[in-house]
Amino acid sequence: MLARIIAPGNYRRGTGVIGAAGQALKSLGARACLVGGHRALAAAAPALREAMASAGVEPVGQVWYGGECCPENIAMVAAAIKEKGADFLVGVGGGKALDTAKGAAWQAGVPLVTVPTIAATCAAFTSIAIIYDREGHFLAISHEAANPSLVLVDSQIIAAAPWRYLAAGMGDTLAKYIELRATSTAVSPHLALEGALGLARLCYDSILAAGENYISA
């Protein structure tokens, strides 16, 4: 059985990785629009702008994502991309900000860069968006979301975030194994699925064994 695997085109992780990403950003276009949460943009935008300047990429706008991943905010960001004439979008922040960016990039038809600033979700890597209404009530899991062309995980920014986000990420990762184990029974076994289950179980066991050592109140 053939398995379809969707993953970002380029994934980079490490201390200061954003600063070294100028040429990777340049490969996506000459004009970039940044979108994200206020605190996330404050943490990552300076390094992103320096990286862009080093490669001759022009930042043509910086947009707040609206505070909720809802259809209205996705449409708002997509309109901003088109209005500013951006060649690609850089989404910065946590899950809802990055899901909004994925939906907006898909609507605008431009490549997407994701820059997570917390370790709470897997939103920077996936090609789906969790959609809510303006009040935060769940609506749908949307596949009308851009698959990231580039993911930049700057471990220095991640490590500087409040510890509760790391704890949230551990909880999210623990749940992934439970979810995958339950849903995998609906399909025939194949190599990709077995690999995913094995990796999910490894993460699950590692967090239960040592996770408490990395968080504190």
Side-chain angles (χ1 to χ4, degrees):
M1 178 179 178
L2 293 176
R4 184 182 180 211
I5 300 175
I6 300 174
N10 189 340
Y11 181 93
R12 302 185 180 193
R13 183 186 66 182
T15 301
V17 71
I18 294 173
Q23 290 305 313
L25 294 167
K26 178 68 173 179
S27 70
L28 300 176
R31 295 162 59 86
C33 179
L34 278 63
V35 62
H38 294 309
R39 287 179 293 183
L41 287 168
L48 281 165
R49 289 179 177 275
E50 287 183 15
M52 290 178 189
S54 71
V57 177
E58 180 186 0
V60 294
Q62 183 167 304
V63 181
W64 179 51
Y65 80 100
E68 191 60 73
C69 182
C70 61
E72 296 85 354
N73 287 337
I74 290 172
M76 177 269 293
V77 176
I81 296 168
K82 295 176 181 179
E83 177 187 346
K84 297 176 185 302
D87 298 320
F88 65 97
L89 180 65
V90 182
V92 182
K96 290 187 176 183
L98 296 179
D99 279 358
T100 301
K102 287 185 286 186
W106 187 89
Q107 285 192 11
V110 299
L112 173 68
V113 179
T114 55
V115 183
T117 55
I118 56 177
T121 75
C122 57
F125 193 90
T126 64
S127 57
I128 60 172
I130 311 303
I131 308 299
Y132 302 84
D133 64 18
R134 287 181 181 271
E135 286 70 45
H137 302 117
F138 172 79
L139 294 178
I141 298 174
S142 174
H143 292 275
E144 295 182 350
N147 183 41
S149 298
L150 173 64
V151 181
L152 299 174
V153 184
D154 193 316
S155 54
Q156 187 171 3
I157 291 176
I158 298 291
W163 71 268
R164 65 182 181 276
Y165 293 118
L166 177 59
M170 290 181 181
D172 187 67
T173 304
L174 290 171
K176 288 293 185 293
Y177 171 61
I178 305 301
E179 293 169 356
L180 184 58
R181 188 178 63 181
T183 58
S184 63
T185 59
V187 298
S188 301
H190 54 78
L191 184 60
L193 176 60
E194 293 301 317
L197 277 167
L199 181 58
R201 182 55 191 263
L202 176 62
C203 293
Y204 180 89
D205 289 342
S206 297
I207 290 171
L208 288 183
E212 187 177 358
N213 297 329
Y214 295 94
I215 59 173
S216 60

